[in-house]
Amino acid sequence: MVNELITKMVEAGVHFGHQTRKWHPNMKKYILTQRNGIHIINLEETEKCLDKAGAFLTDMAAKNKKILFVGCKRQAQEAVKEAAEATGQYYVNFRWLGGMLTNMATIKKSIARLDYLENLDKQPEFKSMSKKELAALAREREKLQRNLQGIRTMGGSPDVIVAIGADHEYLAIREAHILDIPVIALTDTTANPDDVTFPIPGNDAGMRSIRLILSALVDAIKKGKPAA
């Protein structure tokens, strides 16, 4: 019997994979069939994986662990930011900078630079700067804000990463592997689920699909979050 969550996943298009000629063989166990040259994901498997990932996040939240949401593809950017803000967690949604996890010293310097630029008008050198200098510094500030705003208060490596697109966010996942950080990822049919601690097979390109999966994960985090 189809339950309410699977019905919602069908409506959101979570079951739509990529073209059958572009797929990773390790996703075979999560694929139900193919239709018009498109792989169809088995949503019963998706539900099982989502339950496992959700239970893990509930446990992490109960232990007050840091969770980093990563989703830099256009369809995921706003949803990832909203998910992080809804749970009081952290996010990267514009561009993954190499070393964001493995070279924290450099990232901390960049955050300090952002703090400086945001308070530039309070610095003694501000009045002596030309319009051209100030315009260049404003562009630098905006770039740093896009890249670092979601992690500027994280204060070190996260305890778990939630990624939208296991193949798209491979740089983040690779750094997580180096530091032995568990990864939950929405994993489409083109990605290798074995690269992820908790793969969630599903459409990683549709906004409705992304938002539905993130909504379930947000609920799981809120369930475990200690009362204020």
mmCIF file of all heavy atoms in Angstrom, residues 105-131:
data_model
loop_
_atom_site.group_PDB
_atom_site.id
_atom_site.type_symbol
_atom_site.label_atom_id
_atom_site.label_comp_id
_atom_site.label_asym_id
_atom_site.label_seq_id
_atom_site.Cartn_x
_atom_site.Cartn_y
_atom_site.Cartn_z
ATOM 1 N N ALA A 105 42.440 26.859 8.351
ATOM 2 C CA ALA A 105 43.215 28.052 8.714
ATOM 3 C C ALA A 105 43.038 29.144 7.659
ATOM 4 O O ALA A 105 42.844 30.325 7.989
ATOM 5 C CB ALA A 105 44.693 27.694 8.858
ATOM 6 N N THR A 106 43.082 28.748 6.386
ATOM 7 C CA THR A 106 42.897 29.715 5.303
ATOM 8 C C THR A 106 41.471 30.254 5.283
ATOM 9 O O THR A 106 41.244 31.453 5.072
ATOM 10 C CB THR A 106 43.232 29.068 3.944
ATOM 11 O OG1 THR A 106 44.596 28.669 3.952
ATOM 12 C CG2 THR A 106 42.998 30.034 2.790
ATOM 13 N N ILE A 107 40.493 29.379 5.522
ATOM 14 C CA ILE A 107 39.103 29.800 5.547
ATOM 15 C C ILE A 107 38.863 30.801 6.681
ATOM 16 O O ILE A 107 38.170 31.815 6.512
ATOM 17 C CB ILE A 107 38.168 28.584 5.695
ATOM 18 C CG1 ILE A 107 38.298 27.664 4.476
ATOM 19 C CG2 ILE A 107 36.721 29.035 5.882
ATOM 20 C CD1 ILE A 107 37.976 28.304 3.147
ATOM 21 N N LYS A 108 39.478 30.553 7.832
ATOM 22 C CA LYS A 108 39.331 31.477 8.972
ATOM 23 C C LYS A 108 39.931 32.843 8.647
ATOM 24 O O LYS A 108 39.400 33.881 9.068
ATOM 25 C CB LYS A 108 39.970 30.878 10.221
ATOM 26 C CG LYS A 108 39.154 29.742 10.826
ATOM 27 C CD LYS A 108 39.835 29.133 12.043
ATOM 28 C CE LYS A 108 38.990 27.999 12.626
ATOM 29 N NZ LYS A 108 39.659 27.357 13.789
ATOM 30 N N LYS A 109 41.039 32.851 7.894
ATOM 31 C CA LYS A 109 41.633 34.128 7.468
ATOM 32 C C LYS A 109 40.676 34.879 6.541
ATOM 33 O O LYS A 109 40.549 36.105 6.620
ATOM 34 C CB LYS A 109 42.964 33.874 6.763
ATOM 35 C CG LYS A 109 44.097 33.484 7.697
ATOM 36 C CD LYS A 109 45.386 33.251 6.924
ATOM 37 C CE LYS A 109 46.508 32.800 7.857
ATOM 38 N NZ LYS A 109 47.768 32.524 7.103
ATOM 39 N N SER A 110 40.012 34.137 5.660
ATOM 40 C CA SER A 110 39.057 34.756 4.738
ATOM 41 C C SER A 110 37.858 35.322 5.501
ATOM 42 O O SER A 110 37.346 36.397 5.155
ATOM 43 C CB SER A 110 38.587 33.741 3.699
ATOM 44 O OG SER A 110 39.663 33.320 2.880
ATOM 45 N N ILE A 111 37.419 34.622 6.541
ATOM 46 C CA ILE A 111 36.309 35.104 7.365
ATOM 47 C C ILE A 111 36.721 36.366 8.122
ATOM 48 O O ILE A 111 35.943 37.325 8.232
ATOM 49 C CB ILE A 111 35.831 34.000 8.332
ATOM 50 C CG1 ILE A 111 35.168 32.867 7.535
ATOM 51 C CG2 ILE A 111 34.852 34.565 9.367
ATOM 52 C CD1 ILE A 111 34.826 31.639 8.365
ATOM 53 N N ALA A 112 37.958 36.378 8.615
ATOM 54 C CA ALA A 112 38.471 37.574 9.293
ATOM 55 C C ALA A 112 38.543 38.750 8.316
ATOM 56 O O ALA A 112 38.238 39.898 8.680
ATOM 57 C CB ALA A 112 39.850 37.296 9.885
ATOM 58 N N ARG A 113 38.933 38.449 7.085
ATOM 59 C CA ARG A 113 38.969 39.492 6.048
ATOM 60 C C ARG A 113 37.565 40.025 5.779
ATOM 61 O O ARG A 113 37.368 41.231 5.629
ATOM 62 C CB ARG A 113 39.572 38.902 4.772
ATOM 63 C CG ARG A 113 39.578 39.830 3.558
ATOM 64 C CD ARG A 113 40.513 40.992 3.731
ATOM 65 N NE ARG A 113 40.627 41.756 2.497
ATOM 66 C CZ ARG A 113 41.255 42.917 2.407
ATOM 67 N NH1 ARG A 113 41.836 43.457 3.484
ATOM 68 N NH2 ARG A 113 41.329 43.564 1.258
ATOM 69 N N LEU A 114 36.580 39.152 5.747
ATOM 70 C CA LEU A 114 35.193 39.570 5.551
ATOM 71 C C LEU A 114 34.744 40.462 6.708
ATOM 72 O O LEU A 114 34.088 41.495 6.483
ATOM 73 C CB LEU A 114 34.288 38.343 5.438
ATOM 74 C CG LEU A 114 32.783 38.594 5.340
ATOM 75 C CD1 LEU A 114 32.447 39.497 4.164
ATOM 76 C CD2 LEU A 114 32.026 37.269 5.222
ATOM 77 N N ASP A 115 35.069 40.080 7.931
ATOM 78 C CA ASP A 115 34.722 40.910 9.092
ATOM 79 C C ASP A 115 35.318 42.310 8.960
ATOM 80 O O ASP A 115 34.660 43.313 9.255
ATOM 81 C CB ASP A 115 35.225 40.260 10.389
ATOM 82 C CG ASP A 115 34.474 38.982 10.736
ATOM 83 O OD1 ASP A 115 33.336 38.817 10.252
ATOM 84 O OD2 ASP A 115 35.025 38.158 11.484
ATOM 85 N N TYR A 116 36.560 42.362 8.507
ATOM 86 C CA TYR A 116 37.238 43.643 8.318
ATOM 87 C C TYR A 116 36.520 44.489 7.263
ATOM 88 O O TYR A 116 36.253 45.676 7.468
ATOM 89 C CB TYR A 116 38.694 43.414 7.915
ATOM 90 C CG TYR A 116 39.386 44.642 7.378
ATOM 91 C CD1 TYR A 116 39.867 45.631 8.241
ATOM 92 C CD2 TYR A 116 39.567 44.820 6.004
ATOM 93 C CE1 TYR A 116 40.496 46.769 7.742
ATOM 94 C CE2 TYR A 116 40.197 45.953 5.505
ATOM 95 C CZ TYR A 116 40.656 46.920 6.380
ATOM 96 O OH TYR A 116 41.269 48.048 5.886
ATOM 97 N N LEU A 117 36.209 43.880 6.134
ATOM 98 C CA LEU A 117 35.576 44.618 5.041
ATOM 99 C C LEU A 117 34.183 45.112 5.418
ATOM 100 O O LEU A 117 33.757 46.186 4.986
ATOM 101 C CB LEU A 117 35.507 43.736 3.790
ATOM 102 C CG LEU A 117 36.853 43.404 3.129
ATOM 103 C CD1 LEU A 117 36.670 42.397 2.012
ATOM 104 C CD2 LEU A 117 37.521 44.680 2.600
ATOM 105 N N GLU A 118 33.473 44.335 6.215
ATOM 106 C CA GLU A 118 32.128 44.747 6.624
ATOM 107 C C GLU A 118 32.161 45.911 7.613
ATOM 108 O O GLU A 118 31.158 46.605 7.780
ATOM 109 C CB GLU A 118 31.370 43.556 7.220
ATOM 110 C CG GLU A 118 30.957 42.531 6.187
ATOM 111 C CD GLU A 118 30.137 41.395 6.760
ATOM 112 O OE1 GLU A 118 30.239 41.137 7.976
ATOM 113 O OE2 GLU A 118 29.408 40.748 5.981
ATOM 114 N N ASN A 119 33.300 46.102 8.239
ATOM 115 C CA ASN A 119 33.450 47.208 9.189
ATOM 116 C C ASN A 119 34.474 48.235 8.704
ATOM 117 O O ASN A 119 35.053 48.971 9.500
ATOM 118 C CB ASN A 119 33.868 46.659 10.556
ATOM 119 C CG ASN A 119 32.777 45.833 11.212
ATOM 120 O OD1 ASN A 119 31.815 46.373 11.749
ATOM 121 N ND2 ASN A 119 32.911 44.518 11.135
ATOM 122 N N LEU A 120 34.646 48.262 7.402
ATOM 123 C CA LEU A 120 35.657 49.139 6.811
ATOM 124 C C LEU A 120 35.420 50.608 7.138
ATOM 125 O O LEU A 120 36.367 51.367 7.365
ATOM 126 C CB LEU A 120 35.686 48.928 5.289
ATOM 127 C CG LEU A 120 36.766 49.682 4.508
ATOM 128 C CD1 LEU A 120 38.160 49.263 4.977
ATOM 129 C CD2 LEU A 120 36.611 49.427 3.014
ATOM 130 N N ASP A 121 34.158 51.012 7.167
ATOM 131 C CA ASP A 121 33.861 52.431 7.417
ATOM 132 C C ASP A 121 34.247 52.872 8.829
ATOM 133 O O ASP A 121 34.270 54.075 9.125
ATOM 134 C CB ASP A 121 32.381 52.720 7.161
ATOM 135 C CG ASP A 121 31.456 51.881 8.027
ATOM 136 O OD1 ASP A 121 31.930 50.875 8.605
ATOM 137 O OD2 ASP A 121 30.269 52.231 8.136
ATOM 138 N N LYS A 122 34.560 51.920 9.675
ATOM 139 C CA LYS A 122 34.974 52.250 11.056
ATOM 140 C C LYS A 122 36.507 52.247 11.196
ATOM 141 O O LYS A 122 37.029 52.554 12.280
ATOM 142 C CB LYS A 122 34.373 51.248 12.045
ATOM 143 C CG LYS A 122 32.847 51.211 12.062
ATOM 144 C CD LYS A 122 32.344 50.216 13.098
ATOM 145 C CE LYS A 122 30.826 50.151 13.152
ATOM 146 N NZ LYS A 122 30.247 49.558 11.932
ATOM 147 N N GLN A 123 37.209 51.907 10.111
ATOM 148 C CA GLN A 123 38.659 51.839 10.156
ATOM 149 C C GLN A 123 39.276 53.216 9.877
ATOM 150 O O GLN A 123 38.726 54.003 9.101
ATOM 151 C CB GLN A 123 39.182 50.833 9.123
ATOM 152 C CG GLN A 123 38.555 49.447 9.214
ATOM 153 C CD GLN A 123 38.769 48.789 10.569
ATOM 154 O OE1 GLN A 123 39.795 48.983 11.211
ATOM 155 N NE2 GLN A 123 37.783 48.015 11.013
ATOM 156 N N PRO A 124 40.422 53.513 10.491
ATOM 157 C CA PRO A 124 41.046 54.832 10.309
ATOM 158 C C PRO A 124 41.460 55.116 8.868
ATOM 159 O O PRO A 124 41.491 56.280 8.445
ATOM 160 C CB PRO A 124 42.280 54.772 11.232
ATOM 161 C CG PRO A 124 42.510 53.326 11.519
ATOM 162 C CD PRO A 124 41.166 52.683 11.461
ATOM 163 N N GLU A 125 41.770 54.062 8.098
ATOM 164 C CA GLU A 125 42.217 54.269 6.716
ATOM 165 C C GLU A 125 41.068 54.529 5.739
ATOM 166 O O GLU A 125 41.279 54.870 4.577
ATOM 167 C CB GLU A 125 43.032 53.061 6.237
ATOM 168 C CG GLU A 125 42.269 51.743 6.201
ATOM 169 C CD GLU A 125 42.398 50.940 7.483
ATOM 170 O OE1 GLU A 125 42.567 51.549 8.549
ATOM 171 O OE2 GLU A 125 42.310 49.706 7.399
ATOM 172 N N PHE A 126 39.832 54.358 6.219
ATOM 173 C CA PHE A 126 38.663 54.462 5.332
ATOM 174 C C PHE A 126 38.589 55.817 4.628
ATOM 175 O O PHE A 126 38.378 55.891 3.418
ATOM 176 C CB PHE A 126 37.387 54.216 6.134
ATOM 177 C CG PHE A 126 36.122 54.396 5.349
ATOM 178 C CD1 PHE A 126 35.738 53.467 4.394
ATOM 179 C CD2 PHE A 126 35.310 55.511 5.546
ATOM 180 C CE1 PHE A 126 34.574 53.625 3.659
ATOM 181 C CE2 PHE A 126 34.143 55.683 4.813
ATOM 182 C CZ PHE A 126 33.780 54.734 3.873
ATOM 183 N N LYS A 127 38.789 56.902 5.375
ATOM 184 C CA LYS A 127 38.615 58.244 4.810
ATOM 185 C C LYS A 127 39.648 58.584 3.752
ATOM 186 O O LYS A 127 39.416 59.449 2.901
ATOM 187 C CB LYS A 127 38.661 59.280 5.933
ATOM 188 C CG LYS A 127 37.459 59.225 6.864
ATOM 189 C CD LYS A 127 37.523 60.304 7.932
ATOM 190 C CE LYS A 127 36.312 60.236 8.846
ATOM 191 N NZ LYS A 127 36.359 61.262 9.926
ATOM 192 N N SER A 128 40.784 57.902 3.782
ATOM 193 C CA SER A 128 41.839 58.205 2.804
ATOM 194 C C SER A 128 41.748 57.354 1.538
ATOM 195 O O SER A 128 42.530 57.532 0.605
ATOM 196 C CB SER A 128 43.215 58.010 3.450
ATOM 197 O OG SER A 128 43.398 56.661 3.830
ATOM 198 N N MET A 129 40.781 56.446 1.487
ATOM 199 C CA MET A 129 40.648 55.561 0.329
ATOM 200 C C MET A 129 39.887 56.243 -0.809
ATOM 201 O O MET A 129 38.929 56.984 -0.566
ATOM 202 C CB MET A 129 39.932 54.268 0.716
ATOM 203 C CG MET A 129 40.765 53.357 1.600
ATOM 204 S SD MET A 129 39.872 51.820 2.029
ATOM 205 C CE MET A 129 41.167 50.887 2.827
ATOM 206 N N SER A 130 40.321 55.936 -2.029
ATOM 207 C CA SER A 130 39.655 56.504 -3.202
ATOM 208 C C SER A 130 38.375 55.729 -3.525
ATOM 209 O O SER A 130 38.171 54.618 -3.023
ATOM 210 C CB SER A 130 40.596 56.445 -4.404
ATOM 211 O OG SER A 130 40.827 55.090 -4.789
ATOM 212 N N LYS A 131 37.548 56.316 -4.363
ATOM 213 C CA LYS A 131 36.316 55.644 -4.777
ATOM 214 C C LYS A 131 36.627 54.329 -5.497
ATOM 215 O O LYS A 131 35.904 53.346 -5.346
ATOM 216 C CB LYS A 131 35.501 56.558 -5.697
ATOM 217 C CG LYS A 131 34.833 57.728 -4.992
ATOM 218 C CD LYS A 131 33.971 58.519 -5.950
ATOM 219 C CE LYS A 131 33.257 59.658 -5.232
ATOM 220 N NZ LYS A 131 32.419 60.463 -6.165
#
